[in-house]
Amino acid sequence: MKTSSLNLVVIMLFQLNGITAYAQTIWTVTGTVRDASTNDLLSGTSISVQHKTTGTITDQLGHFQIQIPESKEAVLLLISYVGYETQKIEVTGGSTNIDIKMTKNQQLAKEVVVTASRISETILEAPVTILKMDANAVKEIPSENFYASLSGYKGVDVITNSILYKTINTRGFNNNANFRLAQLIDGVDNSLPGLGWPLGNVLGATDLDVEKVELVPGPASALYGANAFNGLLSVTTKDPFRYQGIAVTVKTGVNHLGTDAHDPALYSDLQLRYAKAFNDRFAFKVNVGYLSGDDWLITDSSDIYKDVTADERGSDNPARDAVNIYGDEVARVDWVTDTAGAKVDISRTGYDATELIDNSSYSAKINTALYYKLNDRLQLSYDFNYAKATTSYSSLSFFNLKNISMYTNKLELTGPRFFIRTAAVFNDLGDTYNASVLATAINKDWQPDTDWFNAYKQAYYGQVDGVTSYDFNAARNYADSGRLFPGTDAFNQVMETQKSIPFSSGGAKVIDRSSRYIAQGEYDFSYLIKVFDLIAGADYRLTRLNSEGTIFIDEPGEPLYINQYAGYAQATKQIFKDRLKLLAALRYDKADNFKGVWAPRFAAVYHPDNQNYFRASYQQGFRLPDPQLQFIDIVLSNRHRLGGTAVVDAPYHSRTNSFTGSSVTEFKDSINKFLVTHPNQLDSAVNRFQGILQKSSYDYIQPEKVRTFEVGYRRLLGDEKIYADINYFHNDYSGFIYSTVLVVTDSGGTQNAAAIDTAGHAIYAGGVENFQTVVNAADKVLVNGIEIGTSILLPKGYILSGNLTWIHSSVKPGEDEPGIRTPPLKSNLAISNSDLIKNLGFMINWRWTDAINNWSNVSDDKSIDNSLPAYSIIDAQVSYHLPKAATTIKAGASNLLNYYHQDFAQRYFCGWHVLRFIDLRWDFQINFSSTYIRATGITTARLMYS
């Protein structure tokens, strides 16, 4: 009888970890944990055996009892508690009633991190810049959640898409859907499988369950792969063995205060966490979160129609294309002639975004996890995460992500030297629809475009009784006669119908039920190799794209599949009495449709003493085009969005027989100007100006690449009361992916002069199809930056911290590359004291963001003002601790001075993000022991507005 593969794996793991089946003598170690300064008992303190899975926590009286297999040598216990320095205690079989005193952690830069190198090291020792937030910091932030507070870290950009959805990025090229920064939760990619980017923390972890957040600015592809291109965010949730009991957080508040556009609305956030361990072998946790509120209103209606001058834009422009008004993107070029004989473009009347989108938002999350210790070296865990939400997202048009959901199953086996992880991630866009397409569909349902434009033309030229000729407004009013009016039953009925009809059938509904399957493993070979330390790992992921043809080129019942393989290794060596650490890492990734990509990293950290740390690193990163960039094929308003791969372009020939959008615009402008003085000479005009038309010469998209060099210096001084960190980086990007327009004519082409002449006539007659597609930039983009951060422990418990970031890019406004989308300067300054006077603490944080001259570079938007002004924000909180009641009362303010500001802008959306709300919050924790139940924890009342 043959042994199954599963049995072989189990046997190997048992042999690898030295598992024995015979009985062992057990030591029982007991003790108490206290605060060294107050002598208070610390419940919930974690006690674990080094390099083992064995562990426990203290009960409500600070007592603990742990059973350890008998050892010939002393066993090392690790005692850790959030906000305190971790202690190491040697114990033997006779160790009982140990009295452990914990000291509050006020050591700067001594926190242990693992994300930078996949090994445990302090921030001082890390070979690259890394930022960390622990569970204690999560509790003290004055922002509405931990994700929002990341804006206070050096080098970090945050874009607020909606009240729930924020996007973070580092070192430039941010976007409201960021594909260039990887986001992991407990090691699993948190991006949507189909759309390809993480939806902020809308579908992520709750604050109550966050143990730590580590952020690596800059490329991390050598260890984490494709999308760790501009950075990596790693969120680690709480282990139910170490964090037990019940915790509840309730936040209530109000936003939309002080504005006539919207009545005050309730904002609420409920979170619950329960964790329990049994017999030091089995533990579980359950997390539930629900957040709801009314989103900000979209009020900007600036005209951004590109084919007129800035002076001609506005409410009187017959071809007005206003941001946040949808349906007016549908236009006819040169549809009528004004009284001066000039050709005039006309657009349909659109609907305001507020008439198409319900601005109520919510996010519901459920997480369950089961942990089982197979022995003192092996642990098996299973996690199930489910999240469902409604929020908004703007790209080249506005999407209402309504009832979108994602769930993850993860199974992981860990040991002292390895982990094996499998995960399956599923997303469903639910009732998501596109507001721009919806408005167009409503208009067409009432009256087809051809009928509407013909009615407009007849009225404009005086062919309708009672309508003034050559009057743009009068012609529009006539063409709109009987138009569906927002709020009426007829309008609502058509709107709801169109929301339920998929893109592929002419409606506004977006379907995406894609999934991703992951297998990962890593092993530490260091104990086998004496010369250097070595870790190695492998990744495999299979992405299944299922949009039923509404987004991608898949068909109903015929999804697309993308395979991706990767392997990596990292070697580290310490020399010169461990004063110099050398690191070399290399990763290889291969994905369908693209050649394999290598990503190396070389780094060195030198510390002549325990106060000065010098670091230098060189690495290469890459970004694989996401599923949308590869396979999208949808028509949005007057643009056909098309992926950049050969299989998508095959039916359209947009790469092989098209003209650049900018040259077509210049060609039409030249024709129109010529015909004003030379009427009825179209053939002559086309022949005269056809040399302007440029054949597109773009190849199919390839991965983006970056080479980065970074040097940095960290120092502790003043008896380790001052920590300073400064670094310089230089990024050399190649193959940047950006959006451009390619024009395919319905006759003629680019083959020869005769074909171009025919195409010129087709362009003038409107016989074209505009493809919005993606290409790689031919030129390199250079980015240089300096990041400075410091923290100072002042007398009497004050902590002063601040940072400053300078960044400069070679991209100039109007160039055909993506905008740097980050301010040249930004800074943060914070002061805090957790014990200002007895039991009273506070924190004040000020952040300033410089102006951005051009937020987005898109080739056909050179005349659109996408600049953003500078802004300054102050957040603050004060807290009071009631020791006997185990309660903390906190009052805080986010955006204390109520400064209205805007943090992103682009072609189809300009958003002013203002949040003003009152947030009352209560936290309760109930810890269970074998003999009693006692309520403890934190109660917080927090006042916040912005």
Side-chain angles (χ1 to χ4, degrees):
M1 181 176 180
K2 294 183 178 180
T3 304
S4 69
S5 298
L6 179 61
N7 288 338
L8 286 174
V9 172
V10 172
I11 290 171
M12 291 175 62
L13 292 174
F14 272 57
Q15 291 176 342
L16 195 62
N17 288 275
I19 298 173
T20 58
Y22 55 83
Q24 289 181 303
T25 303
I26 300 298
W27 290 347
T28 299
V29 179
T30 62
T32 304
V33 181
R34 301 174 183 270
D35 183 297
S37 60
T38 65
N39 213 38
D40 291 340
L41 296 166
L42 296 178
S43 64
T45 304
S46 172
I47 296 94
S48 61
V49 179
Q50 189 176 39
H51 304 312
K52 306 277 188 179
T53 63
T54 305
T56 188
I57 64 170
T58 55
D59 62 21
Q60 296 297 326
L61 298 179
H63 298 152
F64 71 90
Q65 175 178 298
I66 187 171
Q67 294 182 332
I68 307 170
E70 182 181 10
S71 173
K72 295 180 180 180
E73 300 177 353
V75 175
L76 199 62
L77 292 184
L78 303 180
I79 296 90
S80 61
Y81 191 79
V82 175
Y84 289 78
E85 296 178 21
T86 298
Q87 291 198 33
K88 298 181 179 180
I89 305 292
E90 287 189 349
V91 297
T92 62
S95 300
T96 58
N97 299 324
I98 304 171
D99 192 15
I100 302 171
K101 299 294 182 68
M102 301 289 286
T103 304
K104 288 187 176 180
N105 184 9
Q106 287 193 316
Q107 289 188 337
L108 299 173
K110 294 295 183 70
E111 300 98 328
V112 174
V113 293
V114 296
T115 303
S117 306
R118 286 188 179 265
I119 56 177
S120 295
E121 59 194 352
T122 66
I123 288 179
L124 286 168
E125 300 168 324
V128 294
T129 301
I130 185 168
L131 313 169
K132 181 180 179 180
M133 178 192 306
D134 61 20
N136 199 46
V138 172
K139 291 180 181 180
E140 295 179 355
I141 58 175
S143 306
E144 63 269 27
N145 53 57
F146 83 90
Y147 207 86
S149 69
L150 293 171
S151 60
Y153 287 72
K154 71 172 184 176
V156 178
D157 295 317
V158 176
I159 287 180
T160 305
N161 289 279
S162 67
I163 195 171
L164 303 185
Y165 174 26
K166 297 178 185 294
T167 301
I168 67 166
N169 193 52
T170 61
R171 299 183 176 177
F173 302 101
N174 201 4
N175 206 339
N176 46 352
N178 187 11
F179 302 88
R180 297 186 176 101
L181 186 140
Q183 185 169 301
L184 309 178
I185 297 181
D186 293 330
V188 177
D189 187 348
N190 192 44
S191 65
L192 295 164
L195 299 183
W197 78 87
L199 201 64
N201 195 49
V202 174
L203 306 175
T206 62
D207 283 18
L208 277 181
D209 199 37
V210 172
E211 181 186 36
K212 62 180 178 180
V213 181
E214 295 182 6
L215 178 62
V216 179
S221 295
L223 294 177
Y224 295 95
N227 291 336
F229 184 73
N230 269 10
L232 172 73
L233 177 70
S234 177
V235 178
T236 302
T237 63
K238 294 177 179 177
D239 186 320
F241 283 108
R242 296 183 56 202
Y243 299 87
Q244 297 186 41
I246 295 179
V248 179
T249 296
V250 179
K251 304 177 188 178
T252 60
V254 178
N255 65 345
H256 295 291
L257 297 175
T259 176
D260 296 331
H262 194 290
D263 293 333
L266 182 66
Y267 173 91
S268 62
D269 186 1
L270 169 66
Q271 298 177 26
L272 180 147
R273 181 182 187 274
Y274 174 57
K276 173 65 177 174
F278 301 90
N279 301 323
D280 297 329
R281 285 291 184 184
F282 173 70
F284 75 93
K285 66 178 179 179
V286 178
N287 290 279
V288 178
Y290 185 82
L291 188 154
S292 63
D294 279 7
D295 223 323
W296 295 288
L297 288 177
I298 303 168
T299 57
D300 181 22
S301 58
S302 302
D303 183 11
I304 55 172
Y305 190 68
K306 63 183 180 61
D307 289 336
V308 297
T309 65
D311 293 339
E312 294 173 319
R313 295 192 184 106
S315 57
D316 293 331
N317 175 18
R320 181 189 182 197
D321 179 10
V323 292
N324 306 313
I325 293 179
Y326 301 108
D328 59 355
E329 302 91 355
V330 178
R332 291 290 185 270
V333 178
D334 300 337
W335 190 242
V336 296
T337 304
D338 64 15
T339 53
K343 297 286 188 179
V344 179
D345 301 347
I346 303 297
S347 66
R348 286 204 70 167
T349 306
Y351 292 98
D352 191 274
T354 57
E355 299 166 342
L356 303 168
I357 296 174
D358 178 3
N359 70 327
S360 60
S361 299
Y362 77 91
S363 172
K365 304 174 184 179
I366 299 175
N367 158 256
T368 61
L370 308 175
Y371 286 56
Y372 183 71
K373 296 179 179 179
L374 301 174
N375 55 39
D376 63 351
R377 298 174 67 82
L378 279 177
Q379 177 174 281
L380 184 66
S381 63
Y382 167 74
D383 288 75
F384 173 77
N385 299 291
Y386 176 81
K388 189 173 184 178
T390 290
T391 187
S392 299
Y393 156 68
S394 170
S395 178
L396 291 179
S397 54
F398 199 87
F399 288 84
N400 187 214
L401 300 175
K402 192 178 178 94
N403 297 323
I404 182 174
S405 64
M406 184 169 76
Y407 66 92
T408 302
N409 290 278
K410 185 190 76 167
L411 184 66
E412 184 170 8
L413 181 67
T414 58
R417 301 186 184 98
F418 78 96
F419 72 80
I420 299 173
R421 177 188 301 137
T422 63
V425 183
F426 305 85
N427 74 244
D428 187 343
L429 291 191
D431 302 313
T432 293
Y433 61 92
N434 182 289
S436 176
V437 176
L438 177 62
T440 301
I442 293 172
N443 270 338
K444 289 182 177 179
D445 185 278
W446 165 65
Q447 190 174 71
D449 290 340
T450 300
D451 294 347
W452 189 90
F453 282 107
N454 285 334
Y456 186 102
K457 179 180 286 187
Q458 291 173 0
Y460 181 78
Y461 286 130
Q463 298 171 6
V464 177
D465 293 339
V467 178
T468 304
S469 61
Y470 293 94
D471 186 321
F472 294 117
N473 290 329
R476 182 172 300 276
N477 290 335
Y478 172 78
D480 282 343
S481 299
R483 181 171 178 262
L484 296 176
F485 190 76
T488 62
D489 291 340
F491 175 88
N492 292 337
Q493 182 178 354
V494 172
M495 180 172 66
E496 294 304 318
T497 299
Q498 294 299 332
K499 284 182 183 179
S500 65
I501 300 175
F503 271 4
S504 53
S505 300
K509 181 178 177 62
V510 185
I511 297 174
D512 181 26
R513 300 185 182 95
S514 299
S515 53
R516 179 171 56 240
Y517 307 90
I518 300 170
Q520 300 171 324
E522 181 180 286
Y523 194 85
D524 186 349
F525 294 91
S526 302
Y527 77 105
L528 297 173
I529 303 173
K530 304 303 180 183
V531 179
F532 55 83
D533 294 332
L534 176 68
I535 62 171
D539 292 349
Y540 169 73
R541 66 171 58 192
L542 172 65
T543 302
R544 178 179 182 270
L545 301 179
N546 178 24
S547 73
E548 298 184 11
T550 62
I551 301 177
F552 309 117
I553 60 171
D554 61 321
E555 298 291 339
E558 299 179 11
L560 302 172
Y561 292 91
I562 305 174
N563 291 278
Q564 183 178 337
Y565 312 83
Y568 63 90
Q570 175 182 268
T572 56
K573 175 68 175 178
Q574 299 198 56
I575 58 177
F576 300 147
K577 297 181 179 180
D578 294 342
R579 292 297 183 185
L580 176 62
K581 180 171 71 174
L582 302 176
L583 180 149
L586 182 64
R587 182 183 176 107
Y588 177 78
D589 280 71
K590 175 65 178 74
D592 292 346
N593 303 320
F594 304 104
K595 295 180 180 179
V597 183
W598 293 94
R601 174 198 278 178
F602 304 97
V605 180
Y606 176 66
H607 60 108
D609 49 46
N610 292 330
Q611 284 75 43
N612 296 277
Y613 290 77
F614 300 86
R615 68 186 186 275
S617 65
Y618 168 83
Q619 56 187 313
Q620 295 181 14
F622 65 98
R623 173 202 174 195
L624 291 174
D626 57 80
Q628 287 194 77
L629 294 184
Q630 293 187 53
F631 299 113
I632 194 170
D633 186 3
I634 58 176
V635 178
L636 297 177
S637 301
N638 60 340
R639 290 282 171 87
H640 189 150
R641 295 199 61 190
L642 202 63
T645 53
V647 65
V648 177
D649 187 51
Y652 308 108
H653 308 289
S654 70
R655 305 280 172 146
T656 58
N657 189 28
S658 65
F659 301 96
T660 63
S662 56
S663 70
V664 168
T665 299
E666 184 180 353
F667 172 78
K668 289 193 298 182
D669 289 344
S670 300
I671 292 285
N672 288 332
K673 291 177 182 178
F674 181 84
L675 292 178
V676 171
T677 56
H678 303 79
N680 302 319
Q681 297 186 32
L682 177 60
D683 291 344
S684 176
V686 170
N687 182 67
R688 180 187 183 97
F689 296 111
Q690 66 175 261
I692 295 175
L693 294 173
Q694 296 181 10
K695 177 182 178 180
S696 64
S697 57
Y698 299 108
D699 201 353
Y700 301 111
I701 56 170
Q702 296 297 322
E704 295 179 342
K705 296 182 180 179
V706 61
R707 296 184 299 175
T708 184
F709 173 72
E710 179 178 335
V711 292
Y713 172 61
R714 300 181 178 107
R715 179 167 186 186
L716 289 173
L717 60 158
D719 294 328
E720 299 188 352
K721 300 295 184 183
I722 301 175
Y723 166 66
D725 183 6
I726 180 172
N727 64 279
Y728 161 80
F729 65 88
H730 170 80
N731 288 353
D732 184 339
Y733 296 95
S734 60
F736 240 127
I737 297 173
Y738 71 99
S739 176
T740 193
V741 176
L742 305 180
V743 179
V744 176
T745 59
D746 58 12
S747 59
T750 62
Q751 298 87 351
N752 49 51
I756 293 174
D757 184 81
T758 301
H761 283 82
I763 290 171
Y764 184 78
V768 300
E769 184 168 10
N770 296 318
F771 291 93
Q772 184 94 34
T773 189
V774 286
V775 297
N776 294 95
D779 298 329
K780 290 186 176 182
V781 176
L782 306 180
V783 176
N784 295 281
I786 297 175
E787 300 165 335
I788 303 172
T790 185
S791 296
I792 304 172
L793 294 178
L794 300 172
K796 298 183 179 181
Y798 288 91
I799 300 177
L800 179 66
S801 61
N803 58 69
L804 176 68
T805 302
W806 170 82
I807 192 168
H808 178 266
S809 167
S810 63
V811 175
K812 295 180 176 58
E815 291 186 351
D816 293 346
E817 278 100 17
I820 182 71
R821 298 192 185 106
T822 195
L825 283 172
K826 54 180 177 284
S827 63
N828 289 269
L829 184 65
I831 185 168
S832 64
N833 191 327
S834 60
D835 199 16
L836 177 63
I837 58 176
K838 188 175 181 180
N839 301 325
L840 182 68
F842 79 96
M843 174 182 289
I844 300 174
N845 185 82
W846 167 80
R847 65 182 187 273
W848 172 79
T849 299
D850 199 2
I852 303 177
N853 290 331
N854 198 301
W855 192 88
S856 177
N857 285 8
V858 181
S859 58
D860 61 352
D861 290 340
K862 297 176 183 178
S863 62
I864 304 297
D865 181 12
N866 273 327
S867 62
L868 296 177
Y871 64 87
S872 179
I873 300 295
I874 294 177
D875 303 333
Q877 62 91 359
V878 61
S879 60
Y880 184 71
H881 183 58
L882 303 172
K884 292 183 179 180
T887 299
T888 299
I889 302 173
K890 181 185 294 183
S894 175
N895 196 357
L896 180 65
L897 302 181
N898 196 25
Y899 182 79
Y900 283 58
H901 64 283
Q902 178 183 354
D903 62 14
F904 83 91
Q906 68 178 48
R907 172 68 172 85
Y908 285 101
F909 185 83
C910 294
W912 278 263
H913 301 290
V914 182
L915 175 64
R916 293 179 295 170
F917 63 92
I918 299 171
D919 183 354
L920 302 176
R921 176 175 132 179
W922 300 269
D923 293 325
F924 302 99
Q925 182 170 319
I926 302 175
N927 288 328
F928 291 82
S929 74
S930 58
T931 57
Y932 59 85
I933 301 175
R934 179 183 176 190
T936 63
I938 300 172
T939 302
T940 304
R942 185 165 60 179
L943 170 66
M944 304 177 65
Y945 65 90
S946 66

